[in-house]
Amino acid sequence: MNIFKEIGALQAHLKHARCSKKTIGFVPTMGALHPGHLSLIRASKAGNSLTLCSIYVNPTQFNNPADLAKYPRTMEADVAMLEGHGCDIVFAPENEEMYKGPIQLSFDFGKLDKILEGEFRPGHFSGVALVVSKLFNIVQPDKAYFGQKDYQQFKVIARLAEELKFNTKLECEPTVREQDGLAMSSRNKRLSATERKQGLILYDCLKQTRQRLMRGEKLMTLRGEMAATCLKQGVKMEYLALADTENFSLLENVVSPEHSILLIAAYVGEIRLIDNILLEEK
Ligand code: PAF
């Protein structure tokens, strides 16, 4: 496995690979890797001749400096995991390599980056779009892989790729869960044993809401009920929302279950978790 910290050296290596007609699959990450990331590596390996994983904790997507400071950094373990799963190339730049001066560029995706995650984490998607643009320009991947857990992020990146005409096919892979249902996330590493159990309420609320919505109950009523259930367990729900999987507009009623996704965000102690499920699982 080749590890690069500098853009120039990485690009020289990729140029050589492209000359021998190799296709490049890209898995962008912020490290603290878990089985969810490894499923993306597997998907990339299955669909490309070379798999490149980036590990970079992007400062511009954190609207909360404390969250950035506490974001788990486990580079040695990450590299070992990637090596063990047959990743070919790691790109792990320092901040100075990615951002040269004060950051003035920003993105505006209209409503898409103002609702849900965008409402509760202002500026977050602009930072994501900025770093993903840089990474796509550096790597020029044939395909790039993202997890369904960050579904709104996937929609923002899809819009970005469409607007900027990136020649990269985007793939959204299903969320990987712990045996008890907790969606895998790098943030789970920061949960105490009690919080880890409390965190299960997110997936429970999603499943209950889905079942009851399909029986014709109103989202507005269910939202209040689920917020109260969360609170009883010491979990503070930020949103429980239904969206169209295609245009990501928010819905209050189920119109077409095959194009609907239910999303939740909540604070378990200091840790903010998100999760989602499709109304009709494929
Ligand atoms: O999903 C993530 O880990 C990050 O938001 C990404 C896409 C790597 C950009 O920093």
Side-chain angles (χ1 to χ4, degrees):
M1 190 169 74
N2 294 289
I3 304 177
F4 297 95
K5 283 185 163 296
E6 280 155 21
I7 297 169
L10 170 72
Q11 286 184 321
H13 184 85
L14 293 177
K15 192 170 170 194
H16 195 259
R18 267 191 213 96
C19 284
S20 15
K21 299 270 178 281
K22 298 223 163 97
T23 57
I24 295 154
F26 180 36
V27 181
T29 80
M30 297 207 296
L33 302 183
H34 52 69
H37 294 113
L38 297 178
S39 80
L40 304 181
I41 298 288
R42 268 194 303 279
S44 171
K45 280 181 68 65
N48 304 276
S49 12
L50 283 181
T51 288
L52 188 159
C53 177
S54 64
I55 300 178
Y56 178 59
V57 182
N58 171 38
T60 63
Q61 69 187 77
F62 286 82
N63 53 319
N64 174 352
D67 196 23
L68 171 61
K70 289 184 188 157
Y71 200 83
R73 287 156 171 92
T74 57
M75 185 61 83
E76 244 178 68
D78 292 347
V79 167
M81 232 187 252
L82 290 172
E83 180 111 60
H85 285 78
C87 179
D88 302 289
I89 305 164
V90 174
F91 178 49
E94 300 292 338
N95 281 338
E96 301 69 49
E97 190 68 0
M98 295 299 283
Y99 293 99
K100 292 290 179 221
I103 296 125
Q104 277 154 346
L105 255 187
S106 65
F107 287 79
D108 186 338
F109 295 89
K111 219 168 169 189
L112 179 59
D113 69 336
K114 310 289 180 304
I115 55 171
L116 307 184
E117 287 304 286
E119 182 187 339
F120 289 94
R121 303 181 66 190
H124 166 65
F125 286 125
S126 180
V128 169
L130 182 55
V131 80
V132 170
S133 305
K134 285 171 187 266
L135 290 167
F136 277 13
N137 271 325
I138 295 166
V139 176
Q140 302 200 0
D142 294 279
K143 292 185 186 163
Y145 296 81
F146 299 89
Q148 187 194 306
K149 189 178 76 66
D150 296 296
Y151 192 75
Q152 191 176 2
Q153 166 174 282
F154 182 74
K155 297 305 281 184
V156 167
I157 294 171
R159 177 84 61 82
L160 175 80
E162 197 181 300
E163 290 293 336
L164 299 188
K165 306 294 171 210
F166 284 117
N167 197 13
T168 299
K169 187 168 185 285
L170 305 185
E171 304 279 358
C172 185
E173 296 293 321
T175 302
V176 178
R177 298 185 180 280
E178 303 280 0
Q179 268 196 341
D180 56 12
L182 185 72
M184 296 217 178
S185 163
S186 304
R187 287 194 163 80
N188 295 353
K189 291 192 169 74
R190 291 179 53 203
L191 297 170
S192 68
T194 314
E195 290 169 341
R196 167 73 187 66
K197 279 195 198 121
Q198 289 172 304
L200 294 176
I201 192 87
L202 275 83
Y203 190 43
D204 283 348
C205 282
L206 286 173
K207 284 188 297 184
Q208 258 201 65
T209 307
R210 171 170 66 187
Q211 197 181 44
R212 293 172 60 182
L213 275 178
M214 297 304 268
R215 287 202 305 243
E217 290 190 51
K218 293 248 168 299
L219 178 60
M220 206 170 68
T221 320
L222 293 169
R223 188 180 284 128
E225 236 183 81
M226 296 303 150
T229 310
C230 283
L231 215 51
K232 257 193 231 147
Q233 304 241 2
V235 172
K236 193 171 161 274
M237 192 177 99
E238 272 192 340
Y239 63 75
L240 175 65
L242 186 68
D244 182 299
T245 49
E246 301 303 304
N247 60 21
F248 211 71
S249 61
L250 294 181
L251 309 163
E252 276 305 306
N253 299 303
V254 180
V255 186
S256 53
E258 69 280 17
H259 292 136
S260 303
I261 186 162
L262 198 55
L263 309 103
I264 191 168
Y267 270 98
V268 181
E270 272 184 14
I271 317 299
R272 189 173 181 280
L273 298 179
I274 58 172
D275 199 355
N276 64 63
I277 50 175
L278 296 167
L279 279 208
E280 274 185 7
E281 226 99 52
K282 280 170 201 144

